[in-house]
Amino acid sequence: MKTAPLLPMIAAQTRAEFLKLWRLPAFSVTSIALPAVFYLFIGLQQGRYSSVNIHTYILASLAAYAAVNVSLFSFGISVAVERGERMDALMRATPLRPIAYLIGKVATAIAFAFVALIALYVVAYILGRVLLPIDQYANLTARLLIGMIPFIAMGFSVGYLFGPRAALPVINLIYLPMAFASGIFFPVQVLPDFIQKIAPYLPMYHYGRLAWNAVGVSEDNLFQSVLWLAGYLVLFTALTTWAAQREERRRFS
Amino acid sequence: MPGSTANSPVSTPSADDQPFVELVDAHKSYGSVQALKGVSLTVNPGELVAMLGPNGAGKTTAISLMTGLRKPTSGSARLFGLAPTDIRARGRMGVMLQESGVPLSLRVREIVDLFRTYYPRPLPTARVLEIASISDLGGKLISQLSGGQKQRVYFALAVCGDPDMLFLDEPTVGLDVASRRAFWEQVRTLVGGGKGIVLTTHYLEEADALATRVVVVDHGVKVAEGSPAAIKDRVPGKKVSFTTAGPLKDADFRDLAIQNLSIHDSSVELLTNEPEAVLKALFERGTEIHDLEVVGAGLEDAVLSLTEGRG
């Protein structure tokens, strides 16, 4: 009794996941167009922030916003929908390997985030004449695509904890305030005091620091931010595992 | 798979001595609800076992134990001698579930191609579409399909891995008569190729048309098992109902080939395989009959007659 080869399974799974989301305008349009629209609203202010141009600073902020957007929405919504439609039951009855399923979803989220980042870079260039040195683009993109993994885990836990109807509002409730309090729309320094106190505990604040630093903003103790993100990855992975086991007991035991 | 010939549309399972499926004294409770109370079932290569029973009888639960989607509370389930959750066992089975979803934004051919990569020896895509009679739908989005067409896509997904063992939970729900016949034809071909199939159905007719063995399930227990002919013999085929001028007693029906007699005041209902003989006898006994109706007995009646007197 042999089993199917893993690599073609992963490739097919990734392709199918990508097509599924690409054809869902509610997802593809919001994840690609929304950051660009936000750029239009807040990215065109004049002036400098820290050592960099505000245009550039906001580009890095919205790039972080775009990547987290994809992480939370692609995972949170698609996992919840699959559970709601009992698609997961059918997949469980096949010899699909869980690792292929997982890699397919993660790779899709990263690929989508990549598309969203490129779209944002293009919009920022056309509207704000922001053109970064190539190594800054590369650094920013690499940091964001790797650093989004804790947020993928966060989306995954929401997808497992909530039903298909609740997942979207829950993510919106979490995401917009978190992005705001993390200094994504306005720098943390100009936000109210109590938010400045909360920010250093939010994963997105640390993610933002990685992004701002990549475009030339000096950030102290960047390694601490990496540790914070790693900690959040552990936390959300544990939460997802717990939620998945709860699901297992309820529906598949 | 190499070795398939033009005449055998799908590969022949390797000859194992062991049965494909073994369910032994399986119990399953959901909280305080006992869905299965000790069901045993064996499926051998080339057998199509039809599980027949009303809603809530435990058919779907039995399927979920055999496919490893649920674990028995007690008793055991084996698939090809392995735990049903074993990836090697799953690589040789296909399943059609009730009310399972598929990604609506994928095209038929895309989802079939995706599922094919899950299996070690998938059938060619064109062949899969042909078996499920959806060759003309390959380019359609799942969201554009009718209920019956979706049902055929599920069948395609169940057979795409060229499984030795197929589980079909209510496969013809939502199909029109012509599609149902076409589906039966495909299933017969698969069984002829030496596959094992478990199929659940509400329809006595469907079990009769397809099964090599019929298992009747009710309230979580097996109430009868045998060839379709043997089961049909035990099940009265007609339901006779009428009203009478005066009240009748059980004694008025003595020595008649009837089952499940129920008398409520002047209205009478009974099951029989010989409605003509029974009515003739009643007329000869001078029974005055009005509003006579003779209809084919439904599954509910059949199961009732099988369970009668079982306690």
Side-chain angles (χ1 to χ4, degrees):
Chain A
M1 291 187 202
K2 45 178 193 152
T3 53
L6 194 55
L7 281 179
M9 198 189 295
I10 291 173
Q13 192 67 25
T14 308
R15 181 173 177 272
E17 288 289 344
F18 191 87
L19 283 175
K20 254 160 58 178
L21 287 179
W22 183 254
R23 290 181 188 151
L24 204 67
F27 175 76
S28 52
V29 172
T30 42
S31 61
I32 292 169
L34 206 57
V37 172
F38 281 162
Y39 193 84
L40 195 62
F41 290 161
I42 61 172
L44 303 178
Q45 309 162 50
Q46 295 301 317
R48 297 186 71 75
Y49 175 74
S50 181
S51 55
V52 301
N53 192 301
I54 279 198
H55 293 180
T56 307
Y57 181 85
I58 289 177
L59 172 64
S61 291
L62 288 180
Y65 174 85
V68 174
N69 192 50
V70 169
S71 313
L72 293 184
F73 283 88
S74 71
F75 268 80
I77 310 298
S78 75
V79 170
V81 165
E82 281 168 12
R83 287 170 54 232
E85 292 183 342
R86 286 180 46 82
M87 202 182 305
D88 53 339
L90 184 61
M91 290 193 296
R92 287 181 74 105
T94 70
L96 167 63
R97 273 2 128 89
I99 188 73
Y101 170 81
L102 186 65
I103 294 177
K105 275 215 182 310
V106 172
T108 298
I110 291 176
F112 240 102
F114 183 71
V115 174
L117 290 181
I118 299 297
L120 181 65
Y121 297 162
V122 170
V123 169
Y125 173 68
I126 294 171
L127 297 179
R129 292 290 152 199
V130 178
L131 188 62
L132 303 179
I134 189 78
D135 62 316
Q136 285 195 2
Y137 277 128
N139 196 6
L140 177 63
T141 307
R143 285 183 182 191
L144 291 180
L145 294 187
I146 295 169
M148 71 189 268
I149 291 177
F151 299 97
I152 289 179
M154 188 176 170
F156 225 146
S157 30
V158 172
Y160 264 117
L161 287 171
F162 298 93
R165 256 183 267 270
L168 183 64
V170 165
I171 288 174
N172 275 324
L173 269 174
I174 296 172
Y175 188 33
L176 283 176
M178 176 174 78
F180 179 78
S182 299
I184 293 299
F185 300 117
F186 304 98
V188 174
Q189 286 76 356
V190 307
L191 297 176
D193 273 352
F194 78 99
I195 293 184
Q196 289 195 31
K197 290 205 177 70
I198 297 171
Y201 299 99
L202 298 176
M204 201 157 178
Y205 169 74
H206 296 283
Y207 190 60
R209 281 183 13 115
L210 292 181
W212 298 316
N213 178 259
V215 298
V217 181
S218 54
E219 300 278 358
D220 304 334
N221 296 325
L222 209 55
F223 185 66
Q224 269 189 13
S225 287
V226 174
L227 286 183
W228 269 99
L229 288 173
Y232 269 107
L233 174 60
V234 171
L235 175 72
F236 287 123
T237 306
L239 188 59
T240 306
T241 310
W242 175 81
Q245 282 170 353
R246 183 184 70 158
E247 176 97 339
E248 181 85 24
R249 283 193 301 276
R250 282 185 186 171
R251 287 181 53 203
F252 301 108
S253 66
Chain B
M1 174 165 174
S4 295
T5 65
N7 289 338
S8 77
V10 283
S11 74
T12 309
S14 54
D16 289 334
D17 287 341
Q18 70 193 359
F20 282 171
V21 178
E22 270 180 303
L23 200 58
V24 181
D25 193 28
H27 290 71
K28 181 67 193 177
S29 309
Y30 303 114
S32 60
V33 181
Q34 280 189 290
L36 276 191
K37 304 169 198 162
V39 170
S40 296
L41 181 67
T42 304
V43 184
N44 293 303
E47 270 197 309
L48 190 152
V49 176
M51 291 180 76
L52 189 64
N55 279 332
K59 306 187 297 289
T60 297
T61 297
I63 294 254
S64 65
L65 296 186
M66 291 185 274
T67 53
L69 285 174
R70 296 269 189 187
K71 295 181 191 73
T73 312
S74 72
S76 74
R78 306 292 282 176
L79 184 58
F80 306 109
L82 300 165
T85 47
D86 192 305
I87 208 112
R88 291 165 299 170
R90 289 220 164 135
R92 294 177 63 192
M93 82 164 189
V95 56
M96 222 174 137
L97 299 171
Q98 276 185 74
E99 298 164 9
S100 69
V102 277
L104 296 178
S105 53
L106 288 184
R107 298 184 192 285
V108 171
R109 191 187 310 279
E110 288 166 352
I111 183 101
V112 170
D113 277 335
L114 173 65
F115 270 61
R116 286 176 64 247
T117 66
Y118 299 165
Y119 295 90
R121 45 184 180 116
L123 294 172
T125 307
R127 181 73 193 114
V128 176
L129 299 182
E130 191 190 333
I131 290 177
S133 317
I134 49 174
S135 300
D136 52 333
L137 300 178
K140 286 236 180 186
L141 289 172
I142 310 264
S143 56
Q144 299 169 327
L145 302 182
S146 70
Q149 289 171 330
K150 269 190 204 149
Q151 199 70 2
R152 285 187 261 158
V153 171
Y154 291 128
F155 184 58
L157 298 181
V159 300
C160 73
D162 192 14
D164 296 330
M165 186 66 218
L166 260 182
F167 296 93
L168 308 171
D169 198 1
E170 308 263 352
T172 57
V173 166
L175 293 190
D176 57 41
V177 177
S179 307
R180 182 169 291 172
R181 305 271 160 178
F183 175 82
W184 289 359
E185 214 40 61
Q186 289 297 347
V187 169
R188 283 198 194 97
T189 318
L190 294 173
V191 179
K195 313 241 175 225
I197 299 183
V198 172
L199 169 148
T200 70
T201 180
H202 278 94
Y203 308 115
L204 193 53
E205 185 200 5
E206 186 158 284
D208 187 31
L210 292 174
T212 52
R213 187 147 49 93
V214 177
V215 172
V216 184
V217 186
D218 187 42
H219 290 98
V221 291
K222 190 159 79 177
V223 295
E225 180 169 10
S227 68
I231 296 291
K232 271 206 308 191
D233 278 351
R234 293 180 54 186
V235 172
K238 301 289 179 195
K239 178 151 92 175
V240 177
S241 56
F242 53 85
T243 56
T244 54
L248 292 177
K249 293 185 296 292
D250 283 2
D252 296 316
F253 296 90
R254 135 178 61 77
D255 298 332
L256 296 181
I258 60 168
Q259 271 180 286
N260 295 60
L261 176 65
S262 83
I263 305 173
H264 288 292
D265 300 330
S266 62
S267 72
V268 177
E269 238 182 55
L270 57 86
L271 296 178
T272 177
N273 268 327
E274 302 155 22
E276 299 85 355
V278 169
L279 288 170
K280 182 161 177 278
L282 287 175
F283 287 133
E284 282 169 4
R285 291 175 193 185
T287 316
E288 201 178 314
I289 289 177
H290 302 286
D291 303 327
L292 174 64
E293 236 185 324
V294 181
V295 295
L299 177 63
E300 304 285 335
D301 307 311
V303 170
L304 211 64
S305 74
L306 286 168
T307 51
E308 202 186 37
R310 197 170 46 81

